[in-house]
Amino acid sequence: MKKINNLVLGAMVLAGSTLLYSCETTETTSDGIEYTYVEQGDDKTQDGEFVVYHFTAKTGSDSLFISSYDQPVPPYLQHLDSAEAKSGIDEIFLNLNNGDSIIITATAEQIFAAGGGVPPFLDNEEMVTINIGVINVLEEEVFEDYFNDLVAEQQKKQAEQAGVQLEEDVSALEAYIEENNLDANRTESGLFYVIEEEGTGPQVEQGDKISVDYTGYVLDGTVFDTSVESKAREANTYDENRPYEPFSFNVGEGMVIPGWDEGLQLLKEGAKAKFLIPSPLAYGPSQRGAVIVPNSILVFDVEVTDVEK
């Protein structure tokens, strides 16, 4: 298959709007996934055409956990007659036509069968509902210009929204810093940080492989993740199935949120610090579970345990 962008729902992009439809015609894929056409397009997609669509996904408890509306541009795929479906989900996406509106209801295991496994926050047998709406079907010759226009429009819109959100977050952080009597510094981007211990090792720089112990929480103090077992037990988030150890990654390569990539380069090996991260430098309008809701300001206590140049 030449292009399937976000076809398999393994790349978790969370939160956003949803589509609400009334059901009409229900069909079943070869592996037993039921899906309903709320609206069905008349024109069959031709070989080589690009299908542009939006989708949302909800858990059985009606909690939204994926929304393409939060992505910079809508996902798309190129329809190829020679493509082979590896799962029922692929089967549905490979047969999308212009004007289609579809609801899929299946277990998480069925949904993610070809996507690298069920996300850790879902049970295999938990029911998942996906809404798909096809925006456009375009010939290959015109798709690139159409897509570039979408990118430019969305980037402008997101920049405007992020600017407004940043101002609100900075005000909230300034109040939090004053209330908690923190001696914080601010970077140009809007990141606030407190260096609690300077550290004596090498300075963290872009491209370094580093290891970091951390505890992350929102402004009300609710912990959403930690690499420290004692902190997890204290916050009642302990999970015996995960290791509690420093997190290792390459700095400045987009492997973590922007606030981390920026803030960690202010530290040395052995340093301990607190990062106060406005939402545009964290997960923005995306949701990352029950604690990290859209536009969440995040606070991290971090310790740089190792720096490998």
Side-chain angles (χ1 to χ4, degrees):
M1 188 177 303
K2 183 176 179 182
K3 290 214 178 201
I4 296 184
N5 185 21
N6 294 319
L7 169 55
V8 179
L9 308 181
M12 297 287 93
V13 182
L14 315 183
S17 302
T18 186
L19 303 173
L20 300 176
Y21 299 119
S22 59
C23 298
E24 292 182 0
T25 305
T26 299
E27 299 187 13
T28 305
T29 66
S30 58
D31 61 358
I33 295 177
E34 289 191 354
Y35 62 103
T36 299
Y37 280 100
V38 180
E39 294 184 14
Q40 192 165 6
D42 295 328
D43 297 330
K44 182 175 176 58
T45 303
Q46 301 301 308
D47 186 41
E49 290 185 326
F50 282 84
V51 180
V52 186
Y53 60 94
H54 268 305
F55 73 91
T56 61
K58 286 185 171 184
T59 65
S61 59
D62 205 38
S63 176
L64 186 69
F65 69 96
I66 306 177
S67 174
S68 66
Y69 293 91
D70 296 330
Q71 300 178 24
V73 292
Y76 63 89
L77 62 88
Q78 187 176 25
H79 178 91
L80 297 175
D81 291 341
S82 59
E84 296 182 4
K86 297 180 180 179
S87 69
I89 291 297
D90 282 1
E91 191 177 315
I92 294 169
F93 275 87
L94 289 172
N95 289 288
L96 289 175
N97 297 315
N98 200 12
D100 283 353
S101 293
I102 297 173
I103 297 176
I104 305 169
T105 303
T107 66
E109 188 172 24
Q110 288 176 305
I111 295 291
F112 294 94
V118 176
F121 55 85
L122 294 174
D123 295 328
N124 285 356
E125 297 305 312
E126 183 170 359
M127 297 305 294
V128 172
T129 299
I130 297 176
N131 293 283
I132 307 168
V134 176
I135 302 169
N136 214 332
V137 174
L138 299 161
E139 295 179 354
E140 188 168 5
E141 304 80 64
V142 299
F143 172 74
E144 185 174 355
D145 288 342
Y146 169 86
F147 196 74
N148 287 340
D149 288 344
L150 281 179
V151 171
E153 181 181 350
Q154 186 64 20
Q155 287 177 337
K156 180 181 178 181
K157 180 180 178 181
Q158 286 187 328
E160 292 172 351
Q161 292 173 338
V164 172
Q165 187 64 49
L166 181 61
E167 291 182 5
E168 294 178 2
D169 289 358
V170 165
S171 295
L173 281 169
E174 289 174 341
Y176 178 88
I177 288 166
E178 182 177 359
E179 181 181 349
N180 290 274
N181 197 29
L182 298 176
D183 184 17
N185 296 299
R186 178 188 167 180
T187 70
E188 186 176 348
S189 70
L191 169 71
F192 290 87
Y193 65 97
V194 179
I195 298 179
E196 296 164 338
E197 293 185 21
E198 288 286 347
T200 57
Q203 181 74 36
V204 177
E205 297 175 321
Q206 183 167 343
D208 291 347
K209 182 178 181 180
I210 71 171
S211 297
V212 180
D213 260 329
Y214 65 91
T215 298
Y217 45 98
V218 290
L219 289 185
D220 69 1
T222 304
V223 173
F224 56 82
D225 192 18
T226 180
S227 65
V228 182
E229 182 176 337
S230 61
K231 295 291 185 181
R233 292 185 182 277
E234 182 182 326
N236 295 318
T237 62
Y238 176 72
D239 181 356
E240 62 181 9
N241 295 316
R242 64 159 288 181
Y244 286 93
E245 58 189 20
F247 173 55
S248 299
F249 65 99
N250 295 330
V251 178
E253 297 183 5
M255 300 175 69
V256 292
I257 58 175
W260 264 43
D261 265 338
E262 179 183 7
L264 287 164
Q265 292 182 66
L266 302 169
L267 306 181
K268 298 178 181 179
E269 181 180 296
K272 294 182 180 180
K274 185 185 301 290
F275 295 152
L276 302 103
I277 304 176
S279 60
L281 300 180
Y283 297 108
S286 296
Q287 182 157 345
R288 295 287 173 134
V291 178
I292 304 178
V293 298
N295 300 316
S296 285
I297 296 170
L298 306 184
V299 182
F300 284 94
D301 295 323
V302 300
E303 178 181 0
V304 181
T305 61
D306 186 65
V307 177
E308 184 179 329
K309 295 291 183 180

